[in-house]
Amino acid sequence: MGGINCRPGKMACRVSEDDQEEYRLEYAHVVKNVFRYIEMFSHANALVEELMFLEQKDTERSSALISKATC
């Protein structure tokens, strides 16, 4: 493994082909994890919205039943 070879004061760095491939694979792994987290968060958000909708329906039903009982 050659590692990163940078010269002080120069803007160019040389990275060996093996290291470049390793960095690409690591980057792909990070991107995959980011998309997985987004997918899990979206799924959790959909479940929370569904629960809130069901809770609202139950509250409306309960209010209607209370109104009927008091009339």
Side-chain angles (χ1 to χ4, degrees):
M1 290 237 179
I4 299 174
N5 183 8
C6 293
R7 294 182 186 175
K10 300 283 183 174
M11 295 301 292
C13 292
R14 295 182 185 182
V15 180
S16 71
E17 289 293 324
D18 290 340
D19 288 340
Q20 286 180 16
E21 183 62 21
E22 185 177 328
Y23 298 149
R24 279 192 284 270
L25 291 174
E26 286 298 319
Y27 180 76
H29 182 71
V30 169
V31 170
K32 179 182 174 183
N33 284 338
V34 167
F35 280 109
R36 231 186 309 163
Y37 290 132
I38 291 170
E39 179 184 7
M40 287 187 292
F41 180 79
S42 296
H43 181 68
N45 191 41
L47 291 175
V48 168
E49 287 182 10
E50 183 178 354
L51 287 173
M52 289 173 60
F53 175 75
L54 293 173
E55 184 178 87
Q56 181 182 8
K57 282 179 74 174
D58 286 344
T59 302
E60 290 170 358
R61 286 183 191 157
S62 297
S63 296
L65 289 173
I66 291 171
S67 295
K68 287 181 182 179
T70 58
C71 291

